[in-house]
Amino acid sequence: MSSAPGPPREPPRYLSRAEAEAMEKELLEDYRFGRQQLIEIWGHACAVAVTKAFPLPSLPRRQPTLLVACGPAQNGAIGLVCARHLRSFGYEPTIFYPKRSPEPLHRDFTTQCEKMDIPFLSYLPTEVQLIDDAYNAVVDAVLGAEGSEGPEPCAAILGTLRLLRIPIVSLDVPSGWAPGPASGDISPAVLVSLAAPQEVTRRFQGRRHFLAGRFVPEELQRKFGIGPRHYPGSDCVVAL
Amino acid sequence: MPGPRALLGLGLLAAAAAARAGGRCPERGWSWGRGWNRSWGRERGWNRSRGWERGRCLPRRAMHGPSAGPGPAGLRFLGQEEAQAIDQELFTEYKFSVDQLMELAGLSCATAIAKAYPPSSFTTSQPAVLVVCGPGNNGGDGLVCARHLKMFGYQPTVYYPKRSSKPLFEGLTTQCKKMDIPFLPEFPTEAAFIDELYGLVVDAIFGFSFTGAVREPFGSILSTLERVTVPIASIDIPSGWDVEKGKADGLQPDMLISLTAPKKAAMHFTGRYHFLGGRFVPPALQEKYALNLPAYPGTDCVLQLT
C-alpha cells in the first residue's frame, strides 16, 4: 500500500474486445513485441497482483497453496507463467491444465513449470469441498476473453468454480463472462486486467481490481484512450 | 462422499507442497512434478516424518570447490564455464527462451537502478541515462533495461553500434524506438560530454561470455567510459573485465547487477552497489550448482548484496 496519497484514481476506460485485439496486434506487429515476451510480462504481472491481493502472511491455510486452472489458449499460457512466478515468490501453486495446447510455446511454458516442481493435477475433483479445503485461492486462467463456456472440459471447470467458497482471481476476463446479461457467471473476488480492462468486465463487483498495463507504450495508451496511468514506484501493476 | 483416503490425498498434496518448498534433492533423483500425474487421492505411500518436510537435504558443497566469495554466507561466485553451463541448462533442459530470460534480466537491471539512483537523485535537469549496448546478449539486456527505465520515468538514450540482426534484437530495438528512446548515431567523443548530459551510464557491452581482446568500437568506448565521472552501472560483468579475474586498470563501475548468480569477477568489484537480479533460477538448478542464493525480498526481482 502506498503511504503517500497518489494522484486521484480515475475510473478506467473499458476496451471492447475488438479494441483489445487491435491493441495486441499493434503491440506484436508495430511495436515488435514477441508473443512469448508479452505472455511472460503478463504472467509475471498477474503473479505480482496475486501477491498484492493475497499476501503470504494473510493466507488462512497453513501452506500457501493456490490452484491455477489453465485453459487451452493464451489465457492458459498466461496462467502457466503466473504459476511459475508465484512459485518463485514462495507460494505453492498446483496447476490444473487438462486440455494442453500443442503449440511449442505453450509446451515450453508447461515444461518450465514442471521443472520448477509445480504439480499438475490429472483431474479436478467434483467435490468442491476438497478444493475449498486444500487451497487458499484459485487463479482462473481458463478462458479469459474468449467468452462462452468453450469446449469440455472448460465447461466442467467453470461448473466447479461457480460453487467454490475460496476466492477466485481471474486473469483478464472472468472465464465464461460474455456480453449480454450475466447468467451463471462465476464471481471472482479479484480481477487482473491486462493491457486495459475489457468492456465485458464492467460488471465486476469483486473486492480488488488490478491493472497490469505498465509495459504498454504511452503512445499506444493514448491512442486507445487508456492512459497514461500512474504506477507506484517500479510496480508493474496498479490497483484500480 | 469421498472416503478418508481421498481427503488424505489432499492432505498429502499439501504436505508434498510444503516439502517441495525445500527444493528437490539431487541425490534422491525424485521428481515431484512427474510423480503427481497420478490419480487424485491415490495414497502415495510416504508419510510426513520422512525428509520431505521443509528443510533440504544437504547439498554436496565439496563438489563445487572453494569459490565462496564476499556477500551472504555461502553465496557462490561462478567461473565462466559454470555460468555458461547454467545458461545452457536453462535453455535446453528447462526450456526457457532467450526472450523470456532477457525480459526478466533487463527488468532486474532497471529495478536495481531505480532503487539506487531514483530519478529525484539526478543533478541533470532530466534523469538522463546513457545505455551503451554491445553486440550480444548483454546488449539485449541493455535494450530491455532502457525500455523499463523509460517506463520508470527516466530519459534513456541508447548507443547500439553493432546491432544483431536476430529477430529478438530487432524487436527489442523497435520497441525502444517506438517508445521514443533515441539511438545515438555516434558515441560522445569526450568523457566530459557524457558527464554533462547524463546522470548515469549503463554498461551493457560485454557479459559473461566475453573472452579475448576487445574489438572496436568498444575499445575506444571503454577508454572514454573509464574517464567518465558519473556513476556507471554494469550489467552482469564490468565490460572489458576478465569474467573471473577482473581488470584492475579497467572500468570501475559504481554498480554491478549480477544476473542469475555473481561471477568470480564480482569479487574484484569495489563500487557501492552490488545487486543480484534475474530471479528465474528454478530451485532444482540452484541446488544442482549449490548457488546458495539468498532469498529475494517479497516479489522484488532484485536483491541488494552490498
Side-chain angles (χ1 to χ4, degrees):
Chain A
M1 307 290 168
S2 47
S3 47
R9 302 228 181 112
E10 321 110 54
R13 172 154 128 61
Y14 289 83
L15 293 186
S16 69
R17 181 146 180 219
E19 285 174 306
E21 286 175 355
M23 188 191 291
E24 190 176 308
K25 188 161 186 279
E26 204 161 325
L27 283 168
L28 293 167
E29 293 177 11
D30 295 350
Y31 286 77
R32 301 281 308 278
F33 278 88
R35 190 171 283 282
Q36 186 170 38
Q37 185 187 10
L38 285 185
I39 295 176
E40 184 73 28
I41 290 172
W42 278 321
H44 171 253
C46 287
V48 171
V50 170
T51 67
K52 286 187 188 293
F54 303 105
L56 277 169
S58 76
L59 297 179
R61 313 237 164 276
R62 199 163 63 86
Q63 313 293 355
T65 52
L66 296 169
L67 177 64
V68 184
C70 299
Q74 182 159 291
N75 201 250
I78 295 172
L80 292 174
V81 175
C82 177
R84 172 165 47 86
H85 284 283
L86 286 170
R87 172 82 174 90
S88 71
F89 292 158
Y91 292 77
E92 288 166 13
T94 295
I95 295 174
F96 181 55
Y97 186 34
K99 194 160 188 291
R100 301 193 180 189
S101 163
E103 277 190 51
L105 179 62
H106 295 201
R107 280 206 321 259
D108 285 348
F109 286 138
T110 307
T111 305
Q112 292 156 24
C113 285
E114 287 171 342
K115 294 267 187 178
M116 292 274 287
D117 302 322
I118 298 173
F120 280 68
L121 294 180
S122 52
Y123 69 90
L124 195 64
T126 46
E127 177 62 47
V128 170
Q129 188 66 44
L130 291 178
I131 304 177
D132 281 337
D133 285 345
Y135 305 105
N136 293 280
V138 177
V139 176
D140 157 32
V142 183
L143 290 173
E146 279 152 75
S148 60
E149 295 216 330
E152 284 297 343
C154 298
I157 302 176
L158 289 192
T160 303
L161 290 183
R162 277 184 204 111
L163 300 172
L164 289 178
R165 286 201 318 261
I166 54 174
I168 297 174
V169 183
S170 285
L171 306 190
D172 198 24
V173 175
S175 296
W177 283 31
S183 98
D185 279 352
I186 62 170
S187 302
V190 179
L191 176 63
V192 186
S193 292
L194 301 181
Q198 294 207 37
E199 184 61 49
V200 74
T201 63
R202 207 183 268 276
R203 59 185 186 253
F204 173 70
Q205 296 207 322
R207 57 181 196 243
R208 303 293 298 274
H209 185 184
F210 292 94
L211 179 60
R214 187 163 202 171
F215 75 98
V216 180
E218 268 189 27
E219 188 196 305
L220 200 56
Q221 291 188 38
R222 267 187 228 108
K223 179 173 175 178
F224 284 85
I226 57 170
R229 183 171 278 275
H230 174 77
Y231 284 77
S234 52
D235 283 5
C236 54
V237 297
V238 62
L240 293 179
Chain B
M1 173 71 189
R5 187 166 290 231
L7 292 172
L8 184 63
L10 262 164
L12 290 173
L13 174 67
R20 238 186 338 277
R24 186 175 65 183
C25 174
E27 285 155 301
R28 290 198 177 98
W30 281 48
S31 170
W32 284 112
R34 278 173 230 127
W36 276 99
N37 270 328
R38 290 173 188 256
S39 269
W40 178 278
R42 187 185 300 171
E43 196 175 289
R44 293 287 300 141
W46 36 264
N47 61 54
R48 292 182 182 219
S49 62
R50 285 165 63 177
W52 305 118
E53 305 299 345
R54 251 177 234 286
R56 47 182 81 204
C57 52
L58 299 169
R60 283 176 290 185
R61 285 169 214 266
M63 76 181 169
H64 293 290
S67 49
L75 175 64
R76 285 221 305 117
F77 288 63
L78 303 178
Q80 185 167 37
E81 279 188 18
E82 260 188 312
Q84 287 168 325
I86 291 176
D87 211 49
Q88 270 311 297
E89 210 163 320
L90 283 166
F91 298 134
T92 54
E93 295 292 317
Y94 289 79
K95 301 292 190 203
F96 284 101
S97 70
V98 180
D99 309 44
Q100 280 175 282
L101 300 189
M102 198 169 274
E103 186 70 25
L104 296 173
L107 174 62
S108 293
C109 295
T111 305
I113 288 169
K115 284 187 188 295
Y117 310 103
S120 53
S121 69
F122 279 57
T123 52
T124 46
S125 60
Q126 303 281 1
V129 179
L130 176 62
V131 184
V132 188
C133 297
N137 285 358
N138 203 255
D141 294 338
L143 293 174
V144 176
C145 177
R147 172 165 40 88
H148 286 284
L149 285 175
K150 180 81 194 232
M151 287 190 274
F152 292 164
Y154 294 84
Q155 301 275 13
T157 296
V158 174
Y159 183 60
Y160 187 28
K162 293 277 181 223
R163 302 186 185 184
S164 166
S165 56
K166 290 188 205 164
L168 166 64
F169 292 85
E170 292 190 334
L172 292 177
T173 305
T174 304
Q175 293 157 33
C176 283
K177 288 186 170 177
K178 295 276 290 184
M179 288 186 61
D180 298 321
I181 295 172
F183 279 64
L184 294 178
E186 281 168 12
F187 196 66
T189 47
E190 305 279 338
F193 296 158
I194 296 177
D195 289 338
E196 182 79 26
L197 295 169
Y198 306 103
L200 177 74
V201 175
V202 177
D203 156 33
I205 302 174
F206 300 126
F208 69 83
S209 304
F210 172 68
T211 165
V214 175
R215 272 185 287 232
E216 283 306 296
F218 299 107
S220 316
I221 291 175
L222 285 175
S223 301
T224 306
L225 289 182
E226 280 158 25
R227 295 194 300 276
V228 144
T229 60
V230 292
I232 297 176
S234 286
I235 298 184
D236 210 21
I237 306 283
S239 296
W241 286 27
D242 180 286
V243 173
E244 297 186 6
K245 301 183 201 132
K247 186 175 194 240
D249 62 345
L251 204 63
Q252 296 301 326
D254 192 41
M255 168 185 266
L256 176 62
I257 305 131
S258 290
L259 298 173
T260 308
K263 270 51 81 184
K264 285 181 175 158
M267 293 198 262
H268 303 274
F269 171 70
T270 56
R272 287 183 295 168
Y273 303 108
H274 185 191
F275 278 79
L276 181 66
R279 185 178 183 173
F280 45 65
V281 189
L285 197 54
Q286 291 187 40
E287 291 249 354
K288 179 172 175 178
Y289 287 88
L291 297 181
N292 302 324
L293 297 179
Y296 282 82
T299 56
D300 284 9
C301 56
V302 294
L303 163 68
Q304 187 161 2
L305 294 172
T306 62

